[in-house]
Amino acid sequence: MSNHDYTVVIPAYNAEKYIAETLQSVIAQTIPPQQVIVVDDGSVDATAQIARNFSSIVKVISTPNRGTGAATMTGVAAVQTDIVAFVDSDDLWRPHKMERQLALLNDPDQTCDAAIARMQAFGDIQHKNIKEEYSSWSRSTLVVWMHAFRKVGDIRDMGNGYGEMIDWFSRAKHVGLNIRL
């Protein structure tokens, strides 16, 4: 299986401060996405409007606020490519991120189901001032074949506002997904 067509899913809640910069980092990839799906999870700010006006490849789906996992799964349900990538609405991608991860997914010697990337924290939040890169098992670094994603199942909200990706990655390991860095 070889493919460079991918869709990006961005769950967003009250993200007007960051969504344009996030979208710019996604669309500026050396291999750009076929489509970007922003799921506006009940925002009361201009998140949906900013995303709708950003680019013709951006599709916005608006839902009542149900949580990041539910918003992510709403986006996944609309994916029409064989590969899906995710990014949180306040994160940024470096320009070659997808090129490198697609190379891993498409390398016949790797038999790779999914790829994660290194990341570096940034911003004005106190715990986001780490300067070195580190491996990240997070939504914002995950790129996965849709058939492999379906083996694991839905990203489920845990009821406490976080932990949905820890749960998903745990289940991915349990079903034997080959996830490469």
Side-chain angles (χ1 to χ4, degrees):
M1 190 176 282
S2 179
N3 192 340
H4 286 102
D5 289 338
Y6 67 97
T7 299
V8 179
V9 173
I10 305 174
Y13 175 72
N14 288 343
E16 71 180 5
K17 184 175 177 181
Y18 305 106
I19 193 68
E21 193 174 7
T22 298
L23 286 166
Q24 180 59 41
S25 77
V26 167
I27 291 171
Q29 290 298 298
T30 54
I31 300 176
Q34 184 175 10
Q35 185 175 48
V36 178
I37 300 170
V38 175
V39 180
D40 179 37
D41 190 36
S43 297
V44 295
D45 66 5
T47 298
Q49 179 183 351
I50 293 166
R52 271 190 199 97
N53 294 330
F54 197 84
S55 167
S56 61
I57 69 165
V58 176
K59 175 181 180 176
V60 176
I61 300 171
S62 294
T63 66
N65 182 255
R66 297 175 298 144
T68 308
T72 302
M73 290 312 302
T74 297
V76 168
V79 171
Q80 296 179 9
T81 56
D82 290 335
I83 297 171
V84 61
F86 303 94
V87 62
D88 287 338
S89 61
D90 62 348
D91 287 344
L92 304 174
W93 285 353
R94 292 194 173 152
H96 296 278
K97 175 200 180 292
M98 287 303 303
E99 180 181 345
R100 292 175 180 149
Q101 288 184 288
L102 289 168
L104 273 174
L105 287 181
N106 287 293
D107 183 344
D109 296 330
Q110 296 289 333
T111 61
C112 184
D113 295 310
I116 58 169
R118 299 180 66 73
M119 69 184 294
Q120 180 180 356
F122 68 95
D124 57 2
I125 298 173
Q126 184 178 0
H127 69 281
K128 285 189 167 184
N129 62 3
I130 302 166
K131 298 299 179 206
E132 63 274 357
E133 290 185 349
Y134 54 92
S135 298
S136 178
W137 294 78
S138 76
R139 178 184 359 263
S140 291
T141 72
L142 178 63
V143 180
V144 60
W145 290 104
M146 283 296 295
H147 67 85
F149 184 89
R150 287 185 195 104
K151 279 188 206 174
V152 178
D154 290 358
I155 295 172
R156 302 182 292 222
D157 288 301
M158 306 309 292
N160 56 7
Y162 58 91
E164 73 278 357
M165 292 311 296
I166 294 169
D167 172 69
W168 190 89
F169 280 114
S170 175
R171 288 184 287 121
K173 182 178 179 180
H174 181 75
V175 299
L177 252 59
N178 182 5
I179 301 174
R180 304 294 305 239
L181 173 63

